[in-house]
Amino acid sequence: MSSHSESHGIVQWHSTTIVGVKRGDRIVIAGDGQVSMGNTVMKPNARKVRRIGEDGKVVAGFAGATADAFTLFERLEKKLEQYNGQLLRAAVELTKDWRTDKYLRNLEALMIVADKENLLVLTGNGDVLEPEGGITAIGSGGNYALAAAKAIAEYEDDPEQIARKAMKVAADICVFTNGNVTVEEV
């Protein structure tokens, strides 16, 4: 996402990099900690990757406006409860609501979510995407992290190492990404 956007005359705070890597029976999501407003770093250590759902069996990371992302976290948690922890079903239902609900449609965020079986990207367009090759990334530094992770995966099998190295590359290139990385594994 861009460094900031105007919505109803209010500057939205966002910009980040989130990367997800699936290798074998391990899935890792990593994200940086930078929150920017325009070209100013407002907070260097935000936690944009977290465990959600019953017993924290789902990991989610967001890129976009912080308040919007928290709204989506809460909605996804409710869908997980409603569908007995089935992430794929909950994700499909959330994105349906996100695309069609008048309020949700205006939310500016993307999410990477994972459980033991699934690594998914959720968008406000109603997309539930399973990344090819088990690697995905979102946010302002997402393309840098994605390219780096795909290259690193050629010689590295550990998903945490792939994610950490990809985040370092993104932080070195993208001014809206920093090296304060949070990593969660499912």
Side-chain angles (χ1 to χ4, degrees):
M1 304 209 93
S2 64
S3 63
H4 73 280
S5 65
E6 296 278 336
S7 177
H8 308 301
I10 300 170
V11 176
Q12 300 291 319
W13 299 28
H14 52 97
S15 293
T16 195
T17 301
I18 305 292
V19 64
V21 181
K22 180 178 182 178
R23 285 285 174 267
D25 62 349
R26 294 178 62 202
I27 301 176
V28 169
I29 297 178
D32 79 313
Q34 183 167 306
V35 175
S36 304
M37 187 167 123
N39 293 325
T40 304
V41 175
M42 299 304 288
K43 184 174 182 177
N45 59 350
R47 188 170 175 86
K48 301 174 204 165
V49 175
R50 60 191 57 214
R51 294 185 172 278
I52 62 172
E54 188 177 315
D55 299 325
K57 293 180 182 177
V58 173
V59 173
F62 73 88
T66 306
D68 294 353
F70 284 115
T71 298
L72 292 169
F73 279 154
E74 290 171 7
R75 296 283 181 122
L76 181 56
E77 282 186 308
K78 288 178 184 171
K79 294 292 184 187
L80 285 166
E81 287 174 22
Q82 184 178 353
Y83 296 105
N84 300 316
Q86 296 175 44
L87 177 60
L88 188 55
R89 177 81 188 273
V92 167
E93 295 301 321
L94 173 67
T95 57
K96 269 200 277 190
D97 290 351
W98 192 356
R99 185 175 50 104
T100 59
D101 182 272
K102 190 175 182 179
Y103 167 73
L104 293 177
R105 205 173 30 233
N106 293 317
L107 298 183
E108 296 181 19
L110 292 169
M111 297 177 75
I112 296 177
V113 298
D115 63 8
K116 278 290 196 188
E117 294 84 36
N118 302 288
L119 175 63
L120 306 168
V121 177
L122 310 182
T123 77
N125 294 329
D127 299 316
V128 177
L129 307 169
E130 187 172 8
E132 183 178 344
I135 298 173
T136 192
I138 58 174
S140 55
N143 287 338
Y144 306 119
L146 180 63
K150 286 186 175 213
I152 294 163
E154 294 290 323
Y155 63 87
E156 175 68 64
D157 286 328
D158 183 338
E160 182 174 347
Q161 288 303 309
I162 294 169
R164 285 187 182 279
K165 290 175 183 178
M167 289 299 299
K168 181 174 180 349
V169 168
D172 287 347
I173 298 171
C174 178
V175 297
F176 299 109
T177 302
N178 70 16
N180 294 337
V181 176
T182 301
V183 177
E184 291 285 351
E185 180 175 339
V186 287

